[in-house]
Amino acid sequence: MHHITHLTLTVALVNLLETVGSRIAPLYMSPQGATPTGSGDEFIVCIKARTSLAVAEAHMKDVNSMMSKMKQERKTAANSRIGKMGQVGKGLMFYTIRGNASIINELRKNDAIEMIEQDQVVSISQQSCPTGTFTLLRRINQYNLDRVDQRTKRLDHMLKPRGDGTNVDVYVIDTGIDVHHREFEGRAIQGFNAFPGERSMDLNGHGTHVAGTIGGRHVGIAKKVELVAVKVLNTRGHGTLSGILDGIAFSVNRAATRRDKTSVINMSLGGPKTPIMNAAVSSATEQGVHVVVAAGNENQDACNVSPASAPGVITVGATDAYDAKARFSNFGTCVDIWAPGVRVISAKPGYRFRPRYLSLSGTSMASPLVAGAVAAYISSSVNVSHDPASVKAAMISLATSNQIPRLDGASPNKIVYIGC
């Protein structure tokens, strides 16, 4: 199964218009064939950087007044509304709005607005069946863990990482986590749920599998991390772009309250390049949160997708058991590092007393291995820098070079390494 969470759309840029003495904020719409949320009248509004909270709140009051007036004049629908403001720590500020073209055109003229993007449906794309479900650990070949603590592909059936993830929180922005799975030993908690009408636990399976690779007792690389479930995709694997932004904001805001912990975000999701998504994850890294993302499964240039193309994140491509590039993995200069992502075995939700495991493939499976490696590296010494840029540089420097055969010239030939 090639797992990657996809925005089921491509983002079409509406040309930036300029008039004498004024700036019109760019509007990004989903093209024909994509799936906007609602009736296509729901948008995400990004407020300009360095706008104070007081100015932003005053702006939202002005927008509310404008909408009320337009409703009275019947220039917009009665169900037009403005959502609450979200903020990624002290960085990106945004809010959602439902309104017609008249409202959006008025907003584009507002000096407080950086850009507007149509809200869109997010879904998991499942391209093939799982390769097996297992109940006994002795039947599990954990080649992915075995590979990343040694320099060659000749495995020694041992895992000897340089750290265990102590004092590191990892936020799994995904379908949730089965926090009761024995792999997590009580180290996983429910953090955020974008779906008030649905239980917080993982009812899909993708997020639990990802979390297991990050910090499971047997199938994970950083066995002492604290895992926080950030549920932005529902039972069917669907969600919204605005829901993902809310999940990022929750993660960064919670991280700011836990100054004794280092925070890592894993995003085994992606889709066509979107400026608001890239701005949100870049804002997270600028505030000290490490962000690790999947490169994507379309066998294309990772610079075409988000959040893989965002500055500051660690973008991960997938290799197989023979160190070859996985046929589905994206590639190119936006990929920072590679990790095993084919037939990876990790936790399966729903079996509290007899835990089960599932084999899946995708850059979704490679990304959490690197997120776990980042957590292990950070916990390995008190002398390790916790700055995201420094850690990213260190992971690339430590990586095993020139082991991936026939890799395109633009991609870095680097497999993650976390051995001593």
Side-chain angles (χ1 to χ4, degrees):
M1 180 185 290
H2 304 319
H3 272 240
I4 181 75
T5 306
H6 287 270
L7 297 178
T8 57
L9 55 96
T10 57
V11 177
L13 173 62
V14 176
N15 291 333
L16 175 63
L17 303 177
E18 293 186 356
T19 57
V20 177
S22 65
R23 172 188 177 276
I24 305 298
L27 172 64
Y28 299 87
M29 298 288 290
S30 56
Q32 185 177 2
T35 310
T37 60
S39 301
D41 58 352
E42 297 178 354
F43 296 84
I44 304 166
V45 181
C46 180
I47 297 173
K48 282 183 178 178
R50 294 178 292 279
T51 299
S52 69
L53 183 61
V55 170
E57 289 175 344
H59 160 76
M60 292 186 71
K61 288 181 180 179
D62 291 342
V63 174
N64 262 319
S65 298
M66 177 190 74
M67 291 181 69
S68 297
K69 182 179 179 181
M70 293 181 76
K71 285 180 184 180
Q72 292 174 358
E73 297 172 352
R74 297 187 177 182
K75 292 181 179 179
T76 189
N79 66 347
S80 297
R81 58 173 172 76
I82 184 171
K84 65 179 181 180
M85 186 175 67
Q87 186 169 14
V88 180
K90 297 180 179 179
L92 180 78
M93 287 188 285
F94 62 93
Y95 61 89
T96 57
I97 191 167
R98 171 180 283 177
N100 62 12
S102 297
I103 287 179
I104 299 304
N105 287 336
E106 285 299 316
L107 279 177
R108 293 181 68 194
K109 301 174 187 176
N110 194 300
D111 288 338
I113 304 304
E114 181 66 32
M115 57 183 158
I116 302 173
E117 187 164 346
Q118 191 174 31
D119 202 0
Q120 302 126 6
V121 173
V122 181
S123 64
I124 291 176
S125 175
Q126 298 185 356
Q127 300 178 15
S128 62
C129 295
T131 53
T133 299
F134 307 90
T135 57
L136 301 177
L137 286 172
R138 67 171 179 259
R139 296 175 60 188
I140 295 180
N141 174 18
Q142 299 172 72
Y143 89 93
N144 63 321
L145 302 183
D146 202 352
R147 179 65 186 88
V148 299
D149 70 341
Q150 53 195 49
R151 293 298 185 183
T152 69
K153 62 185 176 184
R154 180 172 292 180
L155 307 182
D156 61 5
H157 308 290
M158 298 179 68
L159 174 62
K160 305 178 290 294
R162 63 178 59 220
D164 60 10
T166 297
N167 291 325
V168 179
D169 291 335
V170 182
Y171 296 84
V172 183
I173 299 181
D174 214 292
T175 62
I177 301 175
D178 179 0
V179 299
H180 301 295
H181 198 290
R182 289 185 182 180
E183 279 291 319
F184 304 127
E185 306 175 298
R187 291 177 289 104
I189 64 170
Q190 308 291 1
F192 173 83
N193 182 6
F195 309 97
E198 183 174 298
R199 288 183 295 168
S200 294
M201 70 175 293
D202 183 10
L203 302 174
N204 178 278
H206 190 270
T208 297
H209 192 282
V210 165
T213 300
I214 295 168
R217 176 186 177 187
H218 298 104
V219 296
I221 190 166
K223 302 178 186 300
K224 297 298 182 181
V225 296
E226 301 290 327
L227 296 157
V228 183
V230 182
K231 183 172 180 173
V232 297
L233 303 170
N234 63 16
T235 304
R236 296 180 300 164
H238 298 312
T240 63
L241 177 57
S242 59
I244 293 174
L245 296 184
D246 286 337
I248 295 169
F250 164 82
S251 303
V252 176
N253 294 339
R254 184 178 186 273
T257 69
R258 293 172 63 80
R259 299 190 181 278
D260 59 329
K261 304 281 187 178
T262 302
S263 296
V264 179
I265 287 173
N266 183 81
M267 299 179 70
S268 288
L269 53 82
K273 195 169 185 178
T274 158
I276 286 184
M277 173 80 80
N278 282 6
V281 294
S282 293
S283 181
T285 62
E286 289 165 3
Q287 295 174 77
V289 177
H290 307 264
V291 182
V292 184
V293 306
N297 291 350
E298 299 80 37
N299 191 30
Q300 65 161 322
D301 189 341
C303 293
N304 295 332
V305 300
S306 289
S309 58
V313 305
I314 301 176
T315 298
V316 187
T319 56
D320 64 18
Y322 304 98
D323 284 354
K325 171 191 169 296
R327 60 181 178 81
F328 52 78
S329 180
N330 288 352
F331 52 85
T333 56
C334 286
V335 173
D336 297 300
I337 203 164
W338 299 79
V342 177
R343 297 191 175 186
V344 171
I345 297 171
S346 188
K348 180 179 181 179
Y351 299 90
R352 186 179 304 185
F353 302 107
R354 194 183 183 191
R356 292 192 177 184
Y357 302 85
L358 184 67
S359 173
L360 301 175
S361 297
T363 54
S364 280
M365 284 65 248
S367 178
L369 191 59
V370 174
V374 167
Y377 172 77
I378 289 169
S379 67
S380 65
S381 171
V382 294
N383 297 319
V384 168
S385 171
H386 291 196
D387 171 65
S390 298
V391 171
K392 177 178 178 176
M395 297 304 296
I396 294 171
S397 176
L398 286 169
T400 302
S401 300
N402 302 320
Q403 294 293 304
I404 307 171
R406 298 179 297 281
L407 189 63
D408 68 284
S411 301
N413 200 318
K414 297 274 189 177
I415 296 177
V416 64
Y417 177 77
I418 197 60
C420 296

